[in-house]
Amino acid sequence: MAEVIRMPKMSDTMEEGVIAEWHKKVGDKIKSGEIIAEVETDKATMDLESYYDGTLLYIGVNKGDAVPIDGIMAVVGSEGEDYKSLLEGGSTNGAAKAEASAEPAKEEAKPAAAIETATPEPAKKAAPAAPAEKINAVVVRMPKMSDTMEEGTLVGWQKKVGDKVKSGDILAEVETDKATMELEAYEDGTLLYIGIKDGESVPVDGIIAVIGEEGANVEALLARENGEGGAEVENIDATDEGKAAPAAESGSNGVDKTVSVADSGDRIKASPLAKRLADEKGIDLSQVGGSGDNGRIVKRDVDEFKPAAAAPAAKTEAPAQASSAPAPAAKSEQSAASAAANGDFTDSPISQMRKTIARRLSDSLFTAPHFYVTMEINMDKAMALRPQLNDVSPAKISFNDMVIKACAVALKQHPAVNSAWLGDKIRRYNYVNIGVAVAVDEGLLVPVIRDADKKTLSTISGEVKDLAGKAKDKKLQPKDWEGNTFSISNLGMFGVDEFTAIINPPDSCILAIGAIKKVAAFKEDGTVYPQNIMKVTLSADHRVVDGALGAQFLLTVKKLLEEPMSMLV
């Protein structure tokens, strides 16, 4: 009996998968457990196994196409078996395309409109593609490379317009909120169009390039992708040293568009991101100079625009219209005076990681009602035990490792703290995964120690060091940062006595650890003696954890660290 192979849910945030590669073709014999395809999820590229024995009767998705969760990808059954009835009501993205491409074309496709080789006349427009016109080219969109990614920044193009590319070739390097990653081509052909320059940002699913046959009607393809099948589209000038002219107006999908300013007759060319930023900052684009192709305004121009410096310049232009323009020396003096008035400063672009940190922690602080509980912990016995542990441990154990272990054990005793607020329900986890904040140059990453309550101190120590090294080298994989149920942030090594941390979603709590300090303590008879004290502060989401519960959890952590042998037996 024929069986349908559907797109599985391969990660907690996955909504669809992209077929990166088929390892089998229609007619092949397959067995349960064999790899039939590679699927790119929002986290990584993973192998897809068959759960059935038989013949691969049908493939419903082409390489490079996306399929929603539970969408039909293929059918396995007996050779010659009728499987058509299984496909009813199970259409997926790309299925129709794959089925159509499997059958011979009944009529020849219309030839694609060729890109002109001579400089077009200024008023000349290329006729848009008819709805039925076949364009032998595909758009390359910004993929979602992490669960929190909203846009990507082009670090550098590895190919240029006119280059031949093959599936699997690296097109560019993209900086996400997590790391810098390579963007691969999924199609063979020629790179016909590049829509963004190095350093520019594009939202997820925004168009960044076009790959296809030489001479394909790129302008019509872009217009069609932007829902402008009936609109006139400007022709790309192929003689402009490989540079693609701005595409016709589009939505906020990463393709440059022409922006008309209502209060002037000028046509101002600006990228969608630049226009959005200008609107948010209240900047008049007519006052911004463009550094992109053909004077196009890009994000960098809006970021570097200084309204305060523009105001004096505007004032000096009025007298100049009535008389003569100031001499170059006068302009230089005005610029120097303006710079002196504004002060000396340097603007740095915001990395994707920093943008995500800002967004997620702002959402956490202003959405989750935080409360804080601080407690002093006597670390005398922990300090005495640590050298003994390190004498026999294969990895050097730190006080931070002890805190991780103590929190993990305490979470098993207080499972309500090991929970998350999901809006309409509270999710209580049956496992303990501790996220450990690691500082890197671009910001902060939180790799995860899984099942920390079940691991020894030496195992925890080894994993923390390994993950911290990967974080600093930008080699963390999605599995390394997903699934935390509780987080720890330690600034004690910097001499910080105590601080409060912002909860790391989706956790309901985070523990801030201060430095161990020697303080004076008093016996009952008034005798003074030294004591090593560490202050810790629990930040808790009051929607999940009440004050008394937070205090009880922290008291358990205190007891475990003050009697560290109790968490080792």
Side-chain angles (χ1 to χ4, degrees), residues 42-367:
D42 58 328
K43 308 289 189 184
T45 300
M46 307 175 72
D47 291 334
L48 175 69
E49 296 182 6
S50 171
Y51 294 105
Y52 309 104
D53 296 338
T55 300
L56 188 57
L57 303 176
Y58 167 81
I59 290 179
V61 192
N62 283 331
K63 174 182 174 181
D65 286 345
V67 187
I69 297 298
D70 207 36
I72 295 177
M73 302 171 57
V75 176
V76 176
S78 301
E79 191 170 351
E81 185 176 356
D82 183 11
Y83 59 85
K84 299 291 185 181
S85 61
L86 294 175
L87 303 180
E88 294 179 4
S91 61
T92 65
N93 292 348
K97 188 194 318 182
E99 196 167 29
S101 64
E103 299 177 0
K106 295 183 179 179
E107 59 180 54
E108 290 187 7
K110 298 179 181 179
I115 298 179
E116 296 184 8
T117 55
T119 305
E121 297 177 6
K124 186 174 181 178
K125 302 284 184 179
E133 179 183 347
K134 180 180 179 181
I135 302 175
N136 295 320
V138 295
V139 297
V140 178
R141 297 180 180 271
M142 178 62 71
K144 189 177 179 72
M145 295 176 168
S146 78
D147 55 333
T148 56
M149 177 179 172
E150 293 188 347
E151 66 178 13
T153 298
L154 251 296
V155 176
W157 284 99
Q158 305 298 314
K159 302 287 184 180
K160 62 182 184 297
V161 171
D163 283 357
K164 302 290 185 182
V165 297
K166 293 183 178 180
S167 177
D169 284 353
I170 304 302
L171 292 178
E173 291 184 351
V174 176
E175 180 191 358
T176 73
D177 58 318
K178 304 287 189 184
T180 299
M181 308 176 74
E182 294 176 335
L183 175 67
E184 293 185 9
Y186 293 109
E187 302 288 340
D188 297 341
T190 301
L191 185 57
L192 303 175
Y193 168 80
I194 289 178
I196 57 172
K197 295 172 65 178
D198 293 357
E200 291 184 14
S201 298
V202 179
V204 168
D205 205 37
I207 297 175
I208 58 179
V210 174
I211 295 175
E213 293 183 359
E214 292 186 30
N217 193 341
V218 175
E219 310 94 321
L221 175 64
L222 294 175
R224 181 179 295 174
E225 290 290 329
N226 296 325
E228 301 173 359
E232 286 189 337
V233 187
E234 293 185 3
N235 202 34
I236 292 180
D237 183 0
T239 65
D240 190 16
E241 298 180 356
K243 294 180 181 178
E249 184 174 348
S250 71
S252 58
N253 58 3
V255 181
D256 298 327
K257 65 180 179 180
T258 299
V259 181
S260 297
V261 180
D263 58 357
S264 73
D266 298 332
R267 298 181 65 217
I268 298 179
K269 298 175 181 177
S271 70
L273 184 58
K275 184 173 183 293
R276 177 168 61 82
L277 289 175
D279 289 341
E280 291 174 355
K281 296 181 178 182
I283 295 175
D284 183 355
L285 283 174
S286 64
Q287 298 180 11
V288 181
S291 62
D293 295 340
N294 301 317
R296 179 170 53 98
I297 299 170
V298 296
K299 175 180 179 291
R300 178 178 58 254
D301 302 320
V302 178
D303 287 338
E304 295 177 354
F305 178 70
K306 301 177 178 61
K315 292 180 181 178
T316 58
E317 286 174 5
Q321 293 174 357
S323 58
S324 59
K331 287 185 178 180
S332 177
E333 290 173 2
Q334 291 171 359
S335 299
S338 176
N342 292 328
D344 188 14
F345 57 86
T346 301
D347 290 332
S348 299
I350 302 173
S351 68
Q352 292 302 309
M353 184 183 297
R354 180 56 61 186
K355 287 179 183 177
T356 301
I357 290 171
R359 176 179 56 80
R360 283 171 57 82
L361 295 187
S362 293
D363 290 346
S364 174
L365 184 61
F366 300 126
T367 302

Side-chain angles (χ1 to χ4, degrees), residues 50 61 153 389 431 473 496 506 553:
S50 171
V61 192
T153 298
L389 294 175
Y431 53 88
D473 294 337
V496 175
F553 166 78

